[in-house]
Structures are given as structure tokens and as C-alpha cells.
Amino acid sequence: QFLRASELASFDASQSSSGVEMVMNDGNKLSADIVISTLPPYELASRLAASRLVGRDGEDQVGSICSLLNSIGHETVAVVNVSFGSNALQSRFRGAGYFVGSLENHDHILGMTWDSMLFPDASGTTKLSVYLGSEAADCQAAAEA
């Protein structure tokens, strides 16, 4: 089952159980053998801190795990999809796209993929995905809000 981050309040695990219960914001609980999180590290740290989990040896290990999670840096990334009514690329490019190296200064563009070359359709349109990082992504997120 897939859950949204806004639905999850904390985790609840007992030493007698091999699984974990996820406590939802509405108070309901969902049991699982394995939880795979795609939350950003700082959000996972806040959910774990609210959980008061204890390690197998009885030691409180959540604090050190939360510290590690909070120390992981991250970048905000926005994906902008662009579509043209004609074949704008006109076979000028080969491959799937490009990504900009971290040492290059490319005005916040992290990369681009040529979606219509990867997944062609009969309409003849050109579809691109542009990946924006840091401030450009924050501006895009604010524009969509």
C-alpha cells in the first residue's frame, strides 16, 4: 500500500514484534513487515523522533539515526515538462538527453531529457523534460502554489 507523507504521524514498534506499525494522523494504525521510505531525510527524521523507537538491545538509537538523517544535504528539484506542436528537434539530437556536471555553471538547469525521442507517439509533437535545481526549483514551486 502506498501512503502519502502527510498521512503518516509516526512509527510504533514493539520488541516482541518483527514488524512495525505506522500510526496515521487520524489515529489508525497500519502493520507492515517492511517499510520503504521515500521521504526526504529530514522528514523521515521527524517521524522517527515522534516514534520513540528503541533498538533490539534496549538502547534508544533513534537520536543518532535522526542526527544522521538530518545531516544529509539535499537539493530542491523541479521538473518542467515542455511540449511543442511540431517536431522541434528535427532529429538534431541523438540519445536520451543530458545532465549538467556539478562543476559547470548552467543557470540552475540540471539536465534535460528528450521524452519524445525516448517514447515516440504518432502525434508528431516534441516533448521535453527540463530539470531545475535550487532557487529555480523553489521559484517553480512557488508559482504552482
Side-chain angles (χ1 to χ4, degrees):
Q1 182 174 1
F2 292 97
L3 302 172
R4 294 183 181 180
S6 60
E7 298 177 73
L8 177 63
S10 65
F11 298 97
D12 184 18
S14 67
Q15 291 182 347
S16 62
S17 165
S18 63
V20 65
E21 284 188 330
M22 294 171 286
V23 181
M24 313 322 265
N25 286 328
D26 62 4
N28 288 328
K29 293 184 178 184
L30 179 65
S31 296
D33 293 326
I34 298 172
V35 176
I36 299 173
S37 174
T38 59
L39 293 172
Y42 67 92
E43 284 194 30
L44 180 58
S46 71
R47 300 314 196 286
L48 288 172
S51 302
R52 299 178 304 278
L53 295 175
V54 176
R56 294 189 194 278
D57 57 2
E59 295 292 319
D60 177 16
Q61 299 172 337
V62 173
S64 60
I65 292 171
C66 290
S67 294
L68 286 171
L69 288 169
N70 283 321
S71 70
I72 298 172
H74 65 282
E75 286 288 327
T76 303
V77 177
V79 179
V80 178
N81 296 305
V82 182
S83 180
F84 300 95
S86 63
N87 186 0
L89 295 179
Q90 298 178 1
S91 302
R92 286 188 270 183
F93 300 108
R94 297 178 66 188
Y98 70 92
F99 286 97
V100 177
S102 60
L103 298 177
E104 297 181 40
N105 184 4
H106 208 278
D107 295 332
H108 304 294
I109 294 176
L110 301 175
M112 182 183 302
T113 56
W114 306 311
D115 301 338
S116 54
M117 293 187 82
L118 293 169
F119 308 105
D121 62 18
S123 67
T125 60
T126 298
K127 296 175 184 162
L128 310 171
S129 293
V130 182
Y131 301 88
L132 305 172
S134 63
E135 294 173 16
D138 291 337
C139 291
Q140 176 67 22
E144 292 177 356

